[in-house]
Amino acid sequence: MSSLASMTVPEVILNLLEGFAQNGIIFILTLLFAIPLGLVITFGSMSKWAPLKFLHNFYDNSEKGIAYSLLNFIADFKPVQALTRTFVWIIRGTPLMLQLFIFLYAPGLLFGVPNRDRITAAIIAFVINYAAYFSEIYRAGIENVAKGQYEAGQVLGMTKTQVFFKVVLFQVIKNITPPMSNEVITLVKDTSLVRVIGVTEIIMHAERFTKAGIIWPLFSTGLYFLLFNGILTILLGKLEKKMNYYHN
Amino acid sequence: MSILKIENLKKSFGKTEVLKDISFEMNEGEVIAILGSSGSGKTTLLRCVNFLEKADEGKIYVDDKLIYDAKTAQKMSAKDQRENQLNFGLVFQSFNLFPQYNVFENVTLAPKLLAKEEKNTAKYAEIDKKAYDILAKVGLSEKLNNYPCELSGGQQQRVSIARALMLDPKVLFFDEPTSALDPELTGEILKVIKSLAAKNTTMIIVTHEIEFAKNVADRIIFMDDGVIAEDGTPAQVIDNPKNERTRLFLQKFNELK
């Protein structure tokens, strides 16, 4: 390999493209896993399972006071929902950059198995982080489908599964496409964060040129992101338009 | 033999008792209009019979066969509930059409899913034919490929009536079918309901259209505060109400006219 300082422009572009491929891989794998994982988290955060509901029977409705309120609170406790929402709060409430370090170092610190595979750590951190965001978008999308849609399905003798897949799902997808597009575009740019744990993505590649005394490659990396996001914007816009044949 | 029998139906939401012991029977081909002021429990009654709410107490019979008993309601399997559900059809106040499907698909979706489950996809052609017929009867042959958002409220409600008719319900329920419509569109829905009555369709109609109820119904039930205050022919209930509450309700209505 020729020294960085003596590279021709096409060689520099190719070198940066190699780095951008890393961003692309993280982007695609994150979407691939976070989209379904997000749905699992959504079901968790919408869970209505309250195992202590029977406690409601022990108190007369007419009684008031602290003991009654406390019992009510315990009886209404939904463990799956509480656990999932706490998880989402932690993931959304802390920096993704910090989560990258945690997923890199935690296996070694907790189980004595040092994680030397930085890319895997990066992908796991990204999948979990984005799944948490996606889950909230899905939840809003599901909650926005009118109750009457479920009821109409039920009185027409459709099963719950049929109502979900034949009636509700498409409306949810239509509801969530604009906010999901936003997240997808943010994800493209966020992939550059992985360099903090030493994954050689495009900006890390470019910084090597900066150290060798050439600054323009670093600035040029913006064009790669712009171009990629430009294509995504067009594709997602088309998808949105395709579903706009009806409105509620 | 009665086609529908309701026995001691009760329903509360929290501390509010919405239905306090409702019982009545109806015969095949009968048209009952349910009147009453807002909050009297009319809609809740319809929702309980159609399993959209679970009644706390009481029994429901169809053709003298017990299909709902509040005591065992928790144990009713999803399959049984569906089967019982199909005895009834319900037309909603707000139509509740499926927005992503066109008129024809809205009407054929549920019957086709049923046929598919019975592994009888040969029935599809029959379902299509029936859909053309029913949509023609409600005057929507020109709109088969339109989406609900492209239709007027009256047309949407006619689609939802057609959708309910596709499953041949033994009793067809209407929950204030014209409340979301302006007077001009109300007429076209009332016309459709009248034509169904002429064909001896068994119907229960919750409505505020007193004149219409008088014309189309064989029987009128007046509900007040969770109970049936009056039950009789239109002549008895509307022209000679015995109950004080019915009298007040009709008087207010007449003043408004």
Side-chain angles (χ1 to χ4, degrees):
Chain A
M1 195 175 114
S2 54
S3 90
L4 292 171
S6 63
M7 272 190 185
T8 62
V9 172
E11 277 174 330
V12 173
I13 292 173
L14 216 63
N15 184 291
L16 292 179
L17 211 55
E18 224 173 86
F20 198 60
Q22 196 68 260
N23 298 69
I25 289 169
I26 293 164
F27 169 78
I28 287 169
L29 290 178
T30 301
L31 281 188
L32 202 67
F33 292 111
I35 285 175
L37 181 63
L39 196 62
V40 176
I41 299 174
T42 305
F43 290 144
S45 69
M46 290 179 80
S47 158
K48 293 200 169 63
W49 185 56
L52 302 173
K53 206 161 61 183
F54 65 90
L55 289 174
H56 276 305
N57 302 333
F58 291 133
Y59 253 75
D60 185 356
N61 266 350
S62 58
E63 291 193 50
K64 287 263 151 49
I66 294 171
Y68 173 69
S69 309
L70 191 70
L71 191 89
N72 238 350
F73 179 78
I74 296 170
D76 285 335
F77 183 65
K78 302 180 184 80
V80 176
Q81 183 183 97
L83 208 71
T84 322
R85 292 199 179 181
T86 309
F87 172 78
V88 171
W89 169 58
I90 292 171
I91 296 295
R92 292 202 308 171
T94 56
L96 176 55
M97 197 190 278
L98 179 63
Q99 290 164 18
L100 282 166
F101 284 118
I102 289 172
F103 282 102
L104 180 66
Y105 295 129
L109 292 172
L110 291 176
F111 311 112
V113 208
N115 183 0
R116 292 198 179 79
D117 186 352
R118 289 158 189 275
I119 295 180
T120 309
I123 290 167
I124 293 174
F126 266 77
V127 167
I128 291 178
N129 184 281
Y130 270 81
Y133 279 95
F134 289 172
S135 77
E136 286 296 284
I137 293 177
Y138 296 164
R139 188 161 67 90
I142 292 172
E143 283 170 356
N144 266 334
V145 174
K147 203 173 126 223
Q149 293 289 304
Y150 295 92
E151 294 186 344
Q154 189 195 321
V155 298
L156 290 166
M158 290 160 73
T159 62
K160 284 200 168 127
T161 321
Q162 287 171 340
V163 173
F164 185 78
F165 284 103
K166 296 286 176 181
V167 176
V168 174
L169 185 63
F170 188 84
Q171 297 180 41
V172 172
I173 292 173
K174 184 179 153 91
N175 282 347
I176 67 173
T177 300
M180 283 295 281
S181 303
N182 239 341
E183 286 298 313
V184 167
I185 283 167
T186 306
L187 171 61
V188 175
K189 294 170 293 172
D190 274 358
T191 55
S192 65
L193 280 175
V194 296
R195 59 188 252 283
V196 299
I197 59 167
V199 177
T200 52
E201 51 68 67
I202 187 169
I203 292 181
M204 196 162 176
H205 270 245
E207 276 176 332
R208 289 178 183 160
F209 290 101
T210 313
K211 278 173 196 142
I214 331 172
I215 191 80
W216 70 264
L218 178 63
F219 294 148
S220 78
T221 58
L223 294 175
Y224 294 75
F225 287 98
L226 268 181
L227 194 68
F228 195 80
N229 273 333
I231 295 167
L232 275 181
T233 306
I234 291 170
L235 290 178
L236 292 166
K238 277 195 172 150
L239 179 67
E240 213 175 299
K241 211 169 165 192
K242 212 169 179 183
M243 289 189 290
N244 263 347
Y245 69 89
Y246 81 87
H247 55 84
N248 291 327
Chain B
M1 190 174 91
S2 59
I3 194 160
L4 175 69
K5 188 162 92 182
I6 310 278
E7 240 178 46
N8 309 105
L9 217 59
K10 290 182 189 172
K11 175 73 187 172
S12 300
F13 294 108
K15 284 173 213 167
T16 320
E17 211 181 350
V18 183
L19 296 181
K20 309 169 181 166
D21 204 0
I22 300 279
S23 301
F24 68 92
E25 279 185 54
M26 104 184 272
N27 296 319
E28 194 169 354
E30 206 174 8
V31 177
I32 297 182
I34 302 183
L35 303 178
S37 46
S38 303
S40 60
K42 311 177 299 274
T43 294
T44 306
L45 172 61
L46 239 59
R47 292 177 61 84
C48 283
V49 178
N50 283 279
F51 308 108
L52 294 174
E53 307 284 353
K54 278 204 157 66
D56 304 325
E57 280 177 52
K59 291 173 182 161
I60 300 170
Y61 299 84
V62 168
D63 289 333
D64 289 337
K65 184 181 155 233
L66 181 68
I67 63 154
Y68 179 88
D69 183 348
K71 286 195 194 85
T72 55
Q74 296 297 337
K75 280 180 257 164
M76 190 174 11
S77 70
K79 190 171 163 281
D80 283 347
Q81 180 181 321
R82 259 181 98 199
E83 210 164 284
N84 295 333
Q85 188 98 55
L86 286 168
N87 286 308
F88 307 129
L90 175 60
V91 174
F92 296 88
Q93 183 178 347
S94 49
F95 330 135
N96 296 343
L97 295 177
F98 306 131
Q100 73 266 42
Y101 293 122
N102 67 26
V103 167
F104 193 73
E105 292 163 336
N106 257 285
V107 170
T108 53
L109 178 68
K112 281 188 179 170
L113 286 172
L114 272 176
K116 197 173 165 189
E117 263 174 76
E118 292 161 0
K119 305 226 182 320
N120 187 6
T121 46
K123 218 176 147 193
Y124 281 10
E126 202 182 301
I127 292 169
D128 285 347
K129 194 187 163 295
K130 190 171 171 187
Y132 289 125
D133 288 348
I134 291 180
L135 285 167
K137 273 180 203 147
V138 296
L140 287 170
S141 294
E142 310 288 304
K143 301 284 179 188
L144 300 180
N145 296 315
N146 286 83
Y147 290 92
C149 61
E150 299 163 339
L151 304 177
S152 73
Q155 290 167 334
Q156 289 190 49
Q157 192 60 299
R158 281 186 277 153
V159 178
S160 94
I161 293 172
R163 186 173 68 169
L165 287 172
M166 282 295 288
L167 294 162
D168 299 315
K170 288 184 177 150
V171 185
L172 182 54
F173 294 83
F174 293 83
D175 185 13
E176 302 189 24
T178 59
S179 293
L181 304 174
D182 61 47
E184 209 178 328
L185 299 175
T186 297
E188 62 184 66
I189 297 305
L190 300 184
K191 216 173 96 193
V192 170
I193 298 176
K194 254 186 194 163
S195 75
L196 290 173
K199 277 174 236 143
N200 290 322
T201 315
T202 314
M203 292 185 281
I204 294 187
I205 308 157
V206 167
T207 182
H208 289 299
E209 305 278 339
I210 295 180
E211 275 310 309
F212 169 71
K214 203 172 149 183
N215 287 330
V216 77
D218 304 308
R219 208 171 123 197
I220 288 183
I221 287 178
F222 180 79
M223 280 183 71
D224 180 50
D225 199 21
V227 297
I228 293 179
E230 202 141 343
D231 179 350
T233 63
Q236 290 168 337
V237 176
I238 293 183
D239 301 332
N240 296 299
K242 287 193 277 300
N243 183 286
E244 185 57 30
R245 283 286 305 148
T246 322
R247 243 193 303 256
L248 275 170
F249 179 81
L250 292 168
Q251 196 183 328
K252 267 188 211 144
F253 172 77
N254 284 327
E255 276 166 19
L256 280 172
K257 257 204 325 188

